[in-house]
Amino acid sequence: MTPPDTHQRLNLRFVALAIGMFAIGTDSFVVAGILPSVAEDLHVDVPTSAELITAYALAYAVLSPLVASLAGRASRKALLVGGLGVFIAGNIGTGLAPTFELAMAFRVVAALGGAMFTPTAAGAVVALAGPEKRATALSILFGGLSGATALGSPIGTAISGITDWRGTMLFVAAVGALATVAVLIGLPAVPRPPAVPFKQRISPLADARITLTLLLLLVSYSGLFVLYTYVSQVFRPATNGDGTTLAWLLFAWGAAAVVGNLFAGRLTDVYGNRIVINTAGVTAVMVFLTTPWSSQHLVSAFVAVMIWGACGWAMLVPIQHRLVGVNPAASQLSISLSSSANYIGVSLAPIVGGVLLDDMVSVNHLGVPAAAIVATGLLIGELGHRLTTRHARAAAVATPPEAAAAPSLADRR
């Protein structure tokens, strides 16, 4: 049994990394709340300004496995601090960019910093936490990400209302600087894992169980962020276009996201990942289907975004838990790929949302096709679960009774 003081030290280290995730998350989510300000200042329309989200998320998804391969021999702490430095530079550059094209380029720089930091932080958590605390430790780490939606994103949106969107980006850079200090002080040296070439990093994709789980993440979060990308327009009837009211709405979404994320780790440890994923996902689908009506009034809008935030973020930890359980030996590789899958989904959201708004639905009804996308992701996840269960049963038949007596992560699915 691990002594309480050891658990406390581990939790403090996870919190230091979570602060870094808070900075990365603030940058990821704050842009959606300031799109109208960006569009007006840089002389583009709102769907075009949403391409800043796509540039950041897609660059992160592509760069993450490449950086992990090229920097495999680097010190983990140096990689974490260096990533935050690049992230800060990218956000300062975005905030000072005179043109939309330059802003896009600096979003890619900021994404490079995120690609250096996030998978490294997730790998450090997996290395430091024991199997019995893995889901809880991941929930602390990703609590920083969801915490960014509760505080970072609404604060940044409010700053945009007081100054402009450029002030928001400088605020994000300041949060990154604070995260750098926290990691420097709170995190000791992390053991460096063996260098892994790029081909080996994507090798988990050869396992259909992992691929289907990653597709669950990609498709579901694409649907979830279709609505988030255009949150200022979807809920405009409820906010009357007021930036402060929108900031409070985003605060409610993010506060609920923190609660959903933190409870998801404990619920997954108790009930397994399938129940948590499907319960949260189906609830989010139902909320999305009601947005044509809930977006019309402020009270119903607050209720809708709180349920949506809690359920959307409650899916992330159990999906990570499933990936680790499928093949614990490749857990760090799988988690790195999950970050890419998540950001590919986020990068597709503005594009999908723009196509839907151009050709299919009004902004008031955007939640309906978004719900269908999330539901499709859940169906893909069920296919992955069935395949995992079939594989576990086949392995149990082939395992001698004395070896089968020891519980495994597969038993928790």
Side-chain angles (χ1 to χ4, degrees), residues 92-109:
I92 292 175
T94 302
L96 299 177
T99 66
F100 180 74
E101 291 74 17
L102 270 176
M104 287 271 284
F106 278 111
R107 293 306 289 155
V108 174
V109 174

Side-chain angles (χ1 to χ4, degrees), residues 154 231 235 238-239 244-254 298 301-303 305-306:
V231 64
F235 289 95
T239 65
T244 301
T245 305
L246 176 62
W248 280 109
L249 202 65
L250 291 175
F251 173 79
W253 185 87
L298 193 57
F302 268 98
V303 172
V305 299
M306 289 178 71

Side-chain angles (χ1 to χ4, degrees), residues 107-391:
R107 293 306 289 155
V108 174
V109 174
L112 172 60
M116 294 168 67
F117 182 88
T118 305
T120 308
V125 163
V126 171
L128 292 172
E132 72 283 356
K133 293 292 183 180
R134 186 176 288 138
T136 300
L138 285 169
S139 72
I140 293 174
L141 178 68
F142 287 99
L145 201 59
S146 58
T149 67
L151 295 175
S153 180
I155 289 173
T157 301
I159 289 173
S160 176
I162 296 171
T163 58
D164 59 13
W165 71 275
R166 298 180 186 277
T168 298
M169 301 315 298
L170 295 178
F171 160 73
V172 173
V175 175
L178 178 63
T180 304
V181 174
V183 172
L184 281 170
I185 295 175
L187 192 72
V190 179
R192 186 175 61 194
V196 180
F198 179 76
K199 184 176 181 180
Q200 185 176 345
R201 287 196 173 274
I202 62 173
S203 62
L205 294 176
D207 189 328
R209 299 168 297 168
I210 291 177
T211 299
L212 288 171
T213 304
L214 292 173
L215 284 174
L216 156 66
L217 179 60
L218 188 157
V219 176
S220 296
Y221 273 75
S222 179
L224 289 167
F225 278 87
V226 162
L227 207 61
Y228 187 83
T229 300
Y230 296 97
V231 64
S232 60
Q233 282 74 48
V234 171
F235 289 95
R236 188 178 183 86
T239 65
N240 291 318
D242 179 68
T244 301
T245 305
L246 176 62
W248 280 109
L249 202 65
L250 291 175
F251 173 79
W253 185 87
V258 173
V259 174
N261 182 83
L262 291 176
F263 274 96
R266 294 174 175 85
L267 291 172
T268 300
D269 282 333
V270 174
Y271 297 107
N273 53 62
R274 185 192 185 198
I275 290 176
V276 179
I277 291 170
N278 289 339
T279 301
V282 169
T283 304
V285 167
M286 299 302 294
V287 170
F288 276 26
L289 291 175
T290 66
T291 52
W293 301 276
S294 64
S295 62
Q296 301 302 304
H297 307 284
L298 193 57
V299 173
S300 58
F302 268 98
V303 172
V305 299
M306 289 178 71
I307 298 174
W308 162 26
C311 291
W313 281 94
M315 294 176 65
L316 186 58
V317 168
I319 290 175
Q320 302 273 357
H321 187 265
R322 179 178 293 185
L323 285 170
V324 172
V326 166
N327 186 357
S331 60
Q332 294 195 32
L333 300 180
S334 299
I335 288 176
S336 178
L337 288 172
S338 76
S339 295
S340 294
N342 192 356
Y343 275 88
I344 289 173
V346 173
S347 72
L348 291 175
I351 299 172
V352 173
V355 171
L356 290 171
L357 292 175
D358 286 341
D359 301 323
M360 299 182 186
V361 296
S362 66
V363 69
N364 187 46
H365 290 83
L366 186 60
V368 176
I373 296 171
V374 176
T376 302
L378 294 176
L379 291 175
I380 293 172
E382 272 300 290
L383 288 176
H385 168 75
R386 290 176 181 273
L387 185 61
T388 299
T389 302
R390 190 180 306 124
H391 187 276

